[in-house]
Amino acid sequence: MGSMSIWHWLIVLVVVMLVFGTKKIGNMGSDIGKAVKGFKDGVKGEDESATPPATPAPPPQVAADKSTIDVDVKEKSKS
């Protein structure tokens, strides 16, 4: 009764699959993977934000003609 053999683990696996189903187990696995990745990115992000950037930000671009205004135009779609 000390350690669990491979047969014990197989029986537990079969029971879990019967209770939850393979689709739900797959969804839980992918959700856990996304959570772990988000946690790693969050920890890595804290380390990067503590250090100053290596290169200074480039200066803003200055237009040659001061009276010109640069805008983005969006076209309306006809429905």
Side-chain angles (χ1 to χ4, degrees), residues 44-62:
K44 189 183 296 183
E46 289 179 4
D47 293 340
E48 291 173 356
S49 65
T51 59
T55 58
Q61 295 180 354
V62 178

Side-chain angles (χ1 to χ4, degrees), residues 9 14-15 29 34 37 52 56:
W9 287 113
V14 168
V15 170
K34 288 178 186 176
K37 183 179 181 200

